[in-house]
Amino acid sequence: MGQIEWAMWANEQALASGLILITGGIVATAGQFAQWYLGAYSIAAGVLICLLEYPRGKRSKGSTMERCGQKYLTRAVKVFGPLTSNYYIRAFLHLGLSVPAGFLLATILGTACLAIASSIYLLAAIHGEHWTPIETKPKERPQVGGTIKQPPSNPPPRPPAEARKKPSEEEVAGVPGGGPQENPMPVTDEVV
Amino acid sequence: MPESAAAFGADLLSQLKGGTSFASSHPPGASGDLAPIPALVWPGMELSWLGVNLYLFIDTFCWYEEEESFLYTRVILGSTLAWARASAVCLNFNCMLILLPISRNLLSLMRGTSSCFRGPWRRQLDKNLKFHKLVAYGIAMNATIHILAHLCNLEYYHWSQSPEAEGLVAALSKLGNAPDETYLNPIRTFHTNTITELLRTVAGITGLLISLALILIMTSSTEFIRQASYELFWYTHHVFIIFFIGLAIHGAGRIVRGQTAESLLLHNVTFCREHLAEWQTAAQCPVPQFSGKEPSAWKWVLGPVVLYACERILRFWRFQQEVVITKVVSHPSGVLELHMKKRGFKMAPGQYVLIQCPSISSLEWHPFTLTSAPQEDFFSVHIRAAGDWTEALCKAFGADGQALKEPWSLPRLAVDGPFGAALTDVFHYPVSMCIATGIGVTPFAALLKSIWYQCCESQTQWKLSKVYFYWICRDPGAFEWFADLLLSLETRMSEQGKTHFLSYHIFLTGWDENQAFHIALHWDENTDVITGLRQKTFYGRPNWNHEFRQVAYSHPSSNIGVFFCGPKALSKIIQRMCRLYSSADPRGIHFHYNRESF
């Protein structure tokens, strides 16, 4: 069933609002409608919002699907520290950005959507959520032979792995490939 | 394993959550791979949808661009009028369609009555949802065009009232100021702003509202959100109610205005547009009269809305119906078998039901293939714990090894269905070959049981005299209940002296070193070490050439029905085999690959 993190929905909504603002802004600027400078503003605001919202934050529980190519923007957004990771600030930022666009018809839908996104972010902030970047883990190189602590102590021919793995009190120590064997009591090896 | 739950919120919309993998009856990744897509049916649906959309768009566009009654409107607005109206018609069409694919009971009814909707059940569910999403994208695209075009229209109307506007544009905008004139331009003065004007009209307010509703629905329906919180997706989706109400009253303001027919007769548009100065004086150019276009969206969507309302009522009623659990069996491989009874429940082999457990989740309906035969007085499903919901269910029924549950403490279940196509064609052939891979074996459980009942316990002679069953499986451990079923069938058939009726071949395609060791040790025993059946398991994939050749030799001049449930790649191979081994002679052997049936 899963637990919703409100920020997830707020993020989608804000990204959509950014795109709507850009579209409305382009139409207003291209059509040179009255107050078209607000259209130019909307384009800029929309681009800023899209860049800010594109990198998805890490969920506190479970795995997060990254958006394609978001790691570059994640680095940029991370730089701003609490300005971007705190959702209260984001909520008010979005609210502020949406106000000027509300005076132009072409971008009024963008304003409404952004205002909704801002309120969802506020809800997320009240629930204590914050943005954490998704870090790519450095690939762990498997060390060849790192798990072999002791070479096999009996010469070949050795019994097959199955016989060696049989749960018994006397276990053969130093079985290669299975990790270091911890024996509850000292053992001697038994050649079958 | 992610929650491979096709969480059904009493609605096929729930499919949108888990994509195409369902809990327990299907392992993740077996998405929609149970049977091949009939090549002519599915792309046909998409293409015809696209075709109709294009036709409506282009036809309406051209009409508005050329229509005389809108000539004066075009003088002020230009092409954006046509863009707005064409996208509006497409919006009407798509909004009509969007509610249909998710009315599963309705579709089931239709499927029952006509044969053109037969298809593999899993495919049907996937298809419906894919179509719903496609239509939703269509709505989004047309809505964007419509909003942008009307945005421009409003600005043009506003500008044409400005002092800078002159000539015909200005004259047209002034129409309506005198008492006996009807207006063309809904914006009456320049000293206002377009936002205020928008919010003064019914169309404007409803338009804003329904755009917001659409955007909210779309942002909460992304796959990410669906998987994270199905509830959010489901509850937000209900904003569609506001959407449809707004859509129905969107055109009530009648602000798309064209010249009335009577006015066109009196006022010769082609002449008069050049002779603006003579409008009041010349007899040919009386003042043109305009009227608004009637709202038409409600006519398109009324039908589907009513049907969907009936669908929801039907689901609710089915939800209320009592389901009695008669038997709970917990199989060692983590499979829970439930025997249930419901009044008026009739099924056919190969169908599935949707089960809801309100105590676990009040929204999720999960599909499970029925594994009982229609002849039995109960219906059963086998549920494997493969995600949150199924694990919770298994726990609630005491399948995790705890103390036996009292019958009164078992959770209540709701069952909707059965849905899907029936596998009855098996009985129409004298010889049938049934091939299943992995999880695809579940519908065959019902089929085999049904075959058993029909052929061994009834007195009438059936056409079907031999069934070949092939099961290709990587991990038979998960299906040991099916092996049990085969074992019981094997015993009963040898009791009845009909050992040659069913010939089954199990192919194990995955094993590890331990298993291989174990198998080698017990190679010479009478019963198979993995399944306990008398017929030995084969290791590795079947050699289809060999299999088909054997069947062909044993039945030289019969019609053989081939039924397959598994991935597409294998279905192509099987189809090729069918073609290869069918004889050119009409009296010879023919393999009929049944795609539509199953």
Side-chain angles (χ1 to χ4, degrees):
Chain A
M1 276 66 76
Q3 205 37 49
I4 180 65
E5 288 184 23
W6 291 101
M8 288 161 58
W9 186 27
N11 172 269
E12 304 277 342
Q13 181 72 15
L15 194 60
S17 318
L19 293 170
I20 296 171
L21 277 175
I22 294 176
T23 316
I26 291 176
V27 170
T29 320
Q32 296 278 296
F33 297 142
Q35 293 179 308
W36 64 269
Y37 50 87
L38 285 176
Y41 160 79
S42 299
I43 299 175
V47 168
L48 174 68
I49 291 167
C50 284
L51 289 174
L52 175 63
E53 297 291 341
Y54 189 75
R56 256 197 203 120
K58 194 155 160 222
R59 282 171 71 176
S60 53
K61 267 192 300 190
S63 63
T64 322
M65 256 161 45
E66 276 192 11
R67 290 207 177 96
C68 172
Q70 80 169 43
K71 56 180 192 263
Y72 310 107
L73 278 169
T74 312
R75 262 185 257 144
V77 173
K78 207 168 58 153
V79 161
F80 291 91
L83 270 182
T84 45
S85 68
N86 185 313
Y87 283 149
Y88 280 109
I89 297 182
R90 251 196 227 204
F92 288 113
L93 174 73
H94 286 326
L95 196 59
L97 284 175
S98 69
V99 169
F103 291 100
L104 181 65
L105 177 68
T107 50
I108 195 177
L109 186 62
T111 302
C113 291
L114 196 57
I116 293 176
S118 155
S119 49
I120 307 174
Y121 263 127
L122 193 63
L123 192 60
I126 292 173
H127 276 86
E129 298 171 21
H130 58 272
W131 188 84
T132 27
I134 301 178
E135 309 277 359
T136 47
K137 282 193 286 272
K139 255 179 106 169
E140 281 176 24
R141 287 272 189 84
Q143 281 179 317
V144 177
T147 53
I148 301 177
K149 296 286 190 255
Q150 282 183 44
S153 50
N154 44 335
R158 288 184 278 272
E162 204 179 64
R164 274 183 264 135
K165 279 187 205 144
K166 261 193 290 218
S168 61
E169 303 239 30
E170 286 109 29
E171 287 184 336
V172 181
V175 173
Q181 179 80 358
E182 283 178 8
N183 300 307
M185 57 194 229
V187 298
T188 53
D189 56 65
E190 285 201 354
V191 178
V192 173
Chain B
M1 192 180 306
E3 162 68 275
S4 50
F8 258 74
D11 203 333
L12 274 169
L13 279 176
S14 67
Q15 295 291 323
L16 292 169
K17 174 184 175 178
T20 48
S21 50
F22 302 125
S24 77
S25 296
H26 307 273
S31 47
D33 284 334
L34 290 185
I37 302 174
L40 295 168
V41 175
W42 182 216
M45 177 88 100
E46 280 175 314
L47 284 176
S48 24
W49 171 82
L50 193 62
V52 174
N53 267 296
L54 284 173
Y55 167 74
L56 284 172
F57 194 94
I58 294 173
D59 186 62
T60 316
F61 189 88
C62 294
W63 193 85
Y64 274 92
E65 283 282 270
E66 284 149 25
E67 172 64 18
E68 248 191 4
S69 56
F70 283 94
L71 192 137
Y72 284 138
T73 327
R74 283 199 297 280
V75 165
I76 303 183
L77 299 178
S79 292
T80 43
L81 170 73
W83 282 102
R85 293 305 313 154
S87 56
V89 170
C90 286
L91 274 173
N92 285 339
F93 175 64
N94 284 313
C95 290
M96 175 184 81
L97 287 182
I98 192 126
L99 287 176
L100 299 178
I102 43 164
S103 307
R104 62 171 184 250
N105 285 299
L106 162 78
L107 288 170
S108 227
L109 267 168
M110 281 172 75
R111 212 179 286 127
T113 51
S114 89
S115 58
C116 66
F117 282 96
R118 279 157 70 209
W121 69 259
R122 182 70 180 284
R123 189 103 297 145
Q124 208 63 44
L125 280 175
D126 286 348
K127 259 158 78 166
N128 292 341
L129 276 181
K130 275 209 187 100
F131 190 63
H132 180 83
K133 285 193 235 191
L134 183 67
V135 175
Y137 285 129
I139 290 183
M141 201 182 75
N142 281 301
T144 311
I145 299 175
H146 186 79
I147 294 172
L148 292 176
H150 270 319
L151 196 100
C152 296
N153 286 341
L154 218 57
E155 293 282 349
Y156 292 150
Y157 270 142
H158 181 234
W159 180 85
S160 65
Q161 291 284 15
S162 77
E164 295 150 15
E166 49 193 33
L168 193 53
V169 169
L172 286 170
S173 298
K174 291 196 179 50
L175 282 177
N177 287 336
D180 61 342
E181 287 174 354
T182 47
Y183 70 93
L184 170 59
N185 188 337
I187 299 183
R188 302 309 306 157
T189 163
F190 187 62
H191 304 289
T192 174
N193 95 29
T194 40
I195 297 183
T196 329
E197 288 302 315
L198 177 91
L199 294 175
R200 266 211 213 140
T201 54
V202 171
I205 300 176
T206 52
L208 191 59
L209 208 65
I210 62 185
S211 317
L212 275 176
L214 183 67
I215 292 167
L216 282 176
I217 290 177
M218 295 199 83
T219 54
S220 63
S221 311
T222 60
E223 189 165 344
F224 187 52
I225 301 276
R226 265 185 274 132
Q227 286 179 348
S229 168
Y230 183 72
E231 281 86 1
L232 178 72
F233 154 71
W234 178 238
Y235 289 127
T236 317
H237 234 79
H238 280 81
V239 172
F240 77 86
I241 299 173
I242 300 180
F243 180 86
F244 276 97
I245 296 176
L247 185 68
I249 55 180
H250 185 60
R254 293 176 165 86
I255 59 173
V256 175
R257 302 179 71 83
Q259 211 171 341
T260 58
E262 303 92 12
S263 176
L264 272 176
L265 289 173
L266 299 169
H267 178 114
N268 185 337
V269 167
T270 30
F271 172 77
C272 295
R273 68 177 300 183
E274 314 292 336
H275 298 85
L276 180 56
E278 298 161 20
W279 271 25
Q280 299 289 9
T281 50
Q284 291 158 302
C285 300
V287 173
Q289 304 294 334
F290 298 94
S291 66
K293 196 183 153 305
E294 287 242 326
S296 60
W298 67 271
K299 296 178 199 158
W300 290 81
V301 302
L302 185 65
V305 164
V306 165
L307 283 171
Y308 187 67
C310 294
E311 158 81 25
R312 293 296 289 259
I313 293 171
L314 183 61
R315 276 191 215 163
F316 182 70
W317 176 71
R318 282 216 177 149
F319 171 76
Q320 300 289 67
Q321 280 182 320
E322 202 189 344
V323 173
V324 177
I325 301 171
T326 56
K327 190 161 156 188
V328 177
V329 179
S330 171
H331 291 273
S333 51
V335 171
L336 181 73
E337 180 181 346
L338 291 174
H339 290 208
M340 295 172 273
K341 279 199 203 206
K342 191 170 164 214
R343 191 157 8 156
F345 189 86
K346 287 200 189 4
M347 61 159 281
Q351 291 194 306
Y352 67 99
V353 288
L354 290 163
I355 297 185
Q356 186 201 62
C357 186
S359 57
I360 298 177
S361 163
S362 54
L363 292 184
E364 298 181 27
W365 291 79
H366 292 241
F368 298 101
T369 317
L370 289 164
T371 49
S372 57
Q375 290 83 357
E376 293 168 324
D377 60 355
F378 60 89
F379 62 94
S380 74
V381 293
H382 282 70
I383 302 174
R384 196 178 64 187
D388 284 348
W389 188 87
T390 38
E391 274 171 14
L393 191 75
C394 288
K395 194 151 171 254
F397 279 87
D400 51 354
Q402 283 165 9
L404 286 174
K405 292 246 171 182
E406 300 292 330
W408 44 262
S409 69
L410 292 175
R412 172 171 120 76
L413 291 181
V415 169
D416 198 3
F419 301 109
L423 260 181
T424 46
D425 277 357
V426 172
F427 299 102
H428 299 160
Y429 294 92
V431 179
S432 285
M433 280 175 79
C434 300
I435 303 165
T437 55
I439 190 69
V441 83
T442 338
F444 286 105
L447 180 69
L448 287 177
K449 280 199 215 171
S450 176
I451 288 177
W452 164 253
Y453 278 106
Q454 292 213 355
C455 297
C456 299
E457 293 184 4
S458 85
Q459 300 306 313
T460 49
Q461 278 296 101
W462 289 97
K463 200 168 168 196
L464 183 64
S465 61
K466 176 90 183 160
V467 175
Y468 289 93
F469 181 67
Y470 299 88
W471 182 23
I472 301 120
C473 184
R474 204 172 301 157
D475 172 26
F479 305 102
E480 53 82 35
W481 61 268
F482 186 76
D484 276 348
L485 165 69
L486 283 180
L487 186 60
S488 75
L489 277 179
E490 195 180 42
T491 356
R492 288 205 286 193
M493 275 194 287
S494 59
E495 282 168 19
Q496 288 251 346
K498 286 202 177 179
T499 33
H500 299 294
F501 178 74
L502 174 68
S503 151
Y504 54 87
H505 313 264
I506 304 177
F507 295 84
L508 182 65
T509 53
W511 56 84
D512 64 19
E513 198 186 297
N514 284 336
Q515 282 181 318
F517 189 63
H518 190 53
I519 291 163
L521 270 181
H522 299 272
W523 188 251
D524 293 322
E525 291 180 15
N526 271 339
T527 54
D528 183 72
V529 63
I530 302 240
T531 55
L533 294 160
R534 223 171 292 143
Q535 218 158 84
K536 289 301 184 86
T537 310
F538 298 91
Y539 299 97
R541 291 199 198 125
N543 181 340
W544 292 112
N545 275 306
H546 178 245
E547 302 296 336
F548 273 78
R549 203 179 300 132
Q550 275 215 304
V551 173
Y553 283 163
S554 321
H555 305 273
S557 53
S558 326
N559 280 323
I560 302 186
V562 178
F563 301 86
F564 172 69
C565 185
K568 213 164 28 162
L570 188 53
S571 103
K572 287 207 180 92
I573 297 174
I574 307 268
Q575 272 179 272
R576 199 161 21 106
M577 292 292 137
C578 290
R579 278 197 297 269
L580 201 58
Y581 285 93
S582 291
S583 140
D585 181 354
R587 285 164 306 168
I589 190 169
H590 285 278
F591 287 94
H592 298 267
Y593 184 72
N594 284 272
R595 293 187 301 175
E596 274 81 52
S597 284
F598 199 71

